[in-house]
Amino acid sequence: MAPPPLNRILMVEDEADIQAVARLALQAIGGFTVEICSSGSEAIEKAPTFASELLLLDVMMPGMNGPSTLKALRDLPQTAATPAIFMTAKVQPSEITQYKAMGALDVIAKPFDPMTLSATINTIWAQYHGYFI
């Protein structure tokens, strides 16, 4: 038996070059349907209609950062229980513990490898559903 398929990802990332690389990696390699937002406020606007199965959030963004965005998305009925992963260059053990305490499933370190990003997300998704790859 396999974990439920992951199809739709809402990514919040403010840097255009990272958006482009991530979109290519997630769509072309991972086969996901991806909606990319450039800010937390854009995510809050688009999230209710996109019906994402997973939130992928940059931690350090101007204005509303990743943790603040996640908190605001948790207040929306459509994303209140949607699993989330943070992406950040700040991956000291204490920082990862802090992100998980905020409700993140896991943390993906930046810079990430575009060739393995989808596999990493699928592994986290499987573990979330009780499967260990």
Side-chain angles (χ1 to χ4, degrees):
M1 196 161 160
L6 173 61
N7 298 305
R8 299 174 67 82
I9 298 173
L10 178 75
M11 180 176 189
V12 187
E13 169 61 57
D14 64 311
E15 294 188 34
D17 56 339
I18 295 175
Q19 290 177 5
V21 170
R23 180 185 301 274
L24 181 65
L26 295 171
Q27 290 180 336
I29 298 170
F32 301 114
T33 299
V34 180
E35 179 70 44
I36 294 186
C37 300
S38 297
S39 67
S41 59
E42 184 181 356
I44 292 164
E45 181 182 313
K46 289 184 175 178
T49 57
F50 182 66
S52 64
E53 298 161 321
L54 180 72
L55 305 169
L56 192 56
L57 304 165
D58 181 20
V59 170
M60 294 180 288
M61 298 185 289
M64 184 179 260
N65 65 16
S68 296
T69 301
L70 180 59
K71 187 171 188 242
L73 290 169
R74 292 290 185 241
D75 291 338
L76 300 175
Q78 299 89 344
T79 54
T82 305
I85 298 172
F86 281 127
M87 296 181 77
T88 183
K90 293 183 156 192
V91 289
Q92 294 297 315
S94 62
E95 294 165 325
I96 292 173
T97 299
Q98 182 183 9
Y99 301 138
K100 288 182 176 179
M102 293 175 191
L105 295 180
D106 211 334
V107 178
I108 295 175
K110 285 180 163 181
F112 58 86
D113 180 351
M115 299 306 292
T116 61
L117 180 60
S118 294
T120 300
I121 290 172
N122 278 325
T123 298
I124 295 168
W125 182 256
Q127 290 171 345
Y128 170 67
H129 288 285
Y131 295 85
F132 296 93
I133 298 174

